[in-house]
Amino acid sequence: MVTTNKIKHKWGMVVDLDRCTGCQACVIACQAENNIPINTKDYFQQRRAYEWIRIERYWEGEFPNVKAKFIPILCQHCENAPCEPVCPVFATYHNDEGMNVQVYNRCIGTRYCSVNCPYSARMFNYWQPNWPDSLRNQLNPDVTVRTRGIMEKCTFCVQRLRRGEVNVEQRGIEPLTGEKITGERKLNYRQMQEGNYLPACVQSCPTNALQFADQYDETGPVKERFDEANEIVEKRHHGEHIDENHTRTYRLFEEVGASPNLIYLKKVEPFPLEKRPR
Amino acid sequence: MLPLVVAGGVVTVIMGFILVVLLISWFSNPPFGLGNAPPQPVAFPHTVHVADNNIQCEFCHRNVTKGEAATVPAVESCLFCHQEIDGGSSTTSANSQAEIQKVRDAFDSETPIDWERVHRLPDHVRFIHESHIRYFTDDDPTKKYGINGEELKETLDVALTCTICHGDVGNKTVVQPKTGQSLKMGTCLDCHRNNNVPTDCTVCHK
């Protein structure tokens, strides 16, 4: 047998809440990239809207002294994902690149996973997806159109990862050094250059609030943040005191223990609401 | 007592029938020829083009070394040759003359030929022809294995790579899905495991 020398990846995202302006560009980009059906007012009122990434908005203070806070929430691709063990047919599992994968053709629609997800990141297809005729040709051919009765969620745009891998393999050159790849390395060449693979939401973010890279990549933009977050978890585990003002890094619902592959950076408040100059 | 026996017998017959149907549909692929492609609008013989005249697969299926789909050639590509070649003049070739005339008529009236699709994958599968052909035609020293685990000794050309999955299309007058491999997921996985390439679900399903 051929020996694989696959380069290991572990994908991760950092969401900087200080930069997020709540513009919803990521929501639209995700909708267009992943063949998500068009939500109507009716869908929202029934709380059955399809949103793989959503911006939650919180108000702070009393009128007229109010301030809006935004937080983008998507599938957290947890390491100890609560959705995975409850699936009776193994339609959701963790792959070796740190992604929580939903296999549509295995799913039988029990909805246990969406009940067990602490982030409400999973959407169930209650209806057959329907697009107006004018939009039929804009469907992404790389993404399956999900039928009625199955669960779906953010995939970290895995179709873009596979497309990027094919592009790297086709050119047959090392992305970083420009050398020609030969022999066995060529067979399982899986290294992705930074920027070869970005999810649609990250690519569309106008303020770079979302950052996406390999956690193992020493020069990448997210490694430092993940190291910091893991250190805090370690300290908390040993009961050490953590200065909350010292670090901005946190994971959503850390007490649940799902250890997501997403990290949020706290919003910095140079002027707290009551001391803000009028 | 008698009605119970009759009811039991009826249930057994129904269950047995369902079981037999399921077994047949699983093991015979396609069952009773149901999976065969409908007749093509033009009776295109691969034997004449490939076996007799040695035209390579990628001469007509042009996109097969470039992208996902192998693509069926446009009518213009047929006319490369068939504006000169008219299928012979003897009476035995009257049928082929008529078929070639259909292609020329389609070109003159600017209507594409409505070919029937033979190999159809489900919507949730993404298959890229280009990367598979690149893998098998590559002349690097690593060993490669076929679907049944046999070692492929020498570097294949594009046509031989096609026969791994599609069977000996060049010697078939009519191409049917059962000409080659069944194209079930097990077939894909066998070959991927033999060659030690990724078998993660997201490689094909996304």
Side-chain angles (χ1 to χ4, degrees), chain B residues 23 26 90 204:
Chain B
L23 283 176
W26 180 256
S90 67
C204 306

PDB file of all heavy atoms in Angstrom, chain B residues 23 26 90 204:
ATOM      1  N   LEU B  23     -34.447  -8.165  -2.488  1.00  0.00           N
ATOM      2  CA  LEU B  23     -33.215  -8.901  -2.792  1.00  0.00           C
ATOM      3  C   LEU B  23     -32.832  -8.731  -4.260  1.00  0.00           C
ATOM      4  O   LEU B  23     -31.676  -8.478  -4.596  1.00  0.00           O
ATOM      5  CB  LEU B  23     -33.399 -10.392  -2.466  1.00  0.00           C
ATOM      6  CG  LEU B  23     -33.334 -10.748  -0.989  1.00  0.00           C
ATOM      7  CD1 LEU B  23     -33.616 -12.212  -0.785  1.00  0.00           C
ATOM      8  CD2 LEU B  23     -31.965 -10.398  -0.416  1.00  0.00           C
ATOM      9  N   TRP B  26     -31.517  -5.322  -5.001  1.00  0.00           N
ATOM     10  CA  TRP B  26     -30.199  -5.040  -4.439  1.00  0.00           C
ATOM     11  C   TRP B  26     -29.107  -5.753  -5.232  1.00  0.00           C
ATOM     12  O   TRP B  26     -28.072  -5.192  -5.538  1.00  0.00           O
ATOM     13  CB  TRP B  26     -30.149  -5.442  -2.964  1.00  0.00           C
ATOM     14  CG  TRP B  26     -28.821  -5.163  -2.366  1.00  0.00           C
ATOM     15  CD1 TRP B  26     -27.838  -6.039  -2.068  1.00  0.00           C
ATOM     16  CD2 TRP B  26     -28.293  -3.878  -2.024  1.00  0.00           C
ATOM     17  NE1 TRP B  26     -26.752  -5.391  -1.557  1.00  0.00           N
ATOM     18  CE2 TRP B  26     -26.999  -4.072  -1.526  1.00  0.00           C
ATOM     19  CE3 TRP B  26     -28.809  -2.572  -2.115  1.00  0.00           C
ATOM     20  CZ2 TRP B  26     -26.199  -3.017  -1.091  1.00  0.00           C
ATOM     21  CZ3 TRP B  26     -28.010  -1.522  -1.678  1.00  0.00           C
ATOM     22  CH2 TRP B  26     -26.730  -1.759  -1.179  1.00  0.00           C
ATOM     23  N   SER B  90     -22.363   2.134 -50.117  1.00  0.00           N
ATOM     24  CA  SER B  90     -23.038   0.882 -50.441  1.00  0.00           C
ATOM     25  C   SER B  90     -24.419   0.842 -49.797  1.00  0.00           C
ATOM     26  O   SER B  90     -24.730   1.633 -48.898  1.00  0.00           O
ATOM     27  CB  SER B  90     -22.207  -0.311 -49.973  1.00  0.00           C
ATOM     28  OG  SER B  90     -22.167  -0.324 -48.566  1.00  0.00           O
ATOM     29  N   CYS B 204     -16.833  13.497  -1.251  1.00  0.00           N
ATOM     30  CA  CYS B 204     -17.837  13.391  -2.319  1.00  0.00           C
ATOM     31  C   CYS B 204     -19.174  14.047  -1.959  1.00  0.00           C
ATOM     32  O   CYS B 204     -19.852  14.558  -2.820  1.00  0.00           O
ATOM     33  CB  CYS B 204     -18.104  11.935  -2.668  1.00  0.00           C
ATOM     34  SG  CYS B 204     -16.644  11.016  -3.075  1.00  0.00           S
TER      35      CYS B 204
END
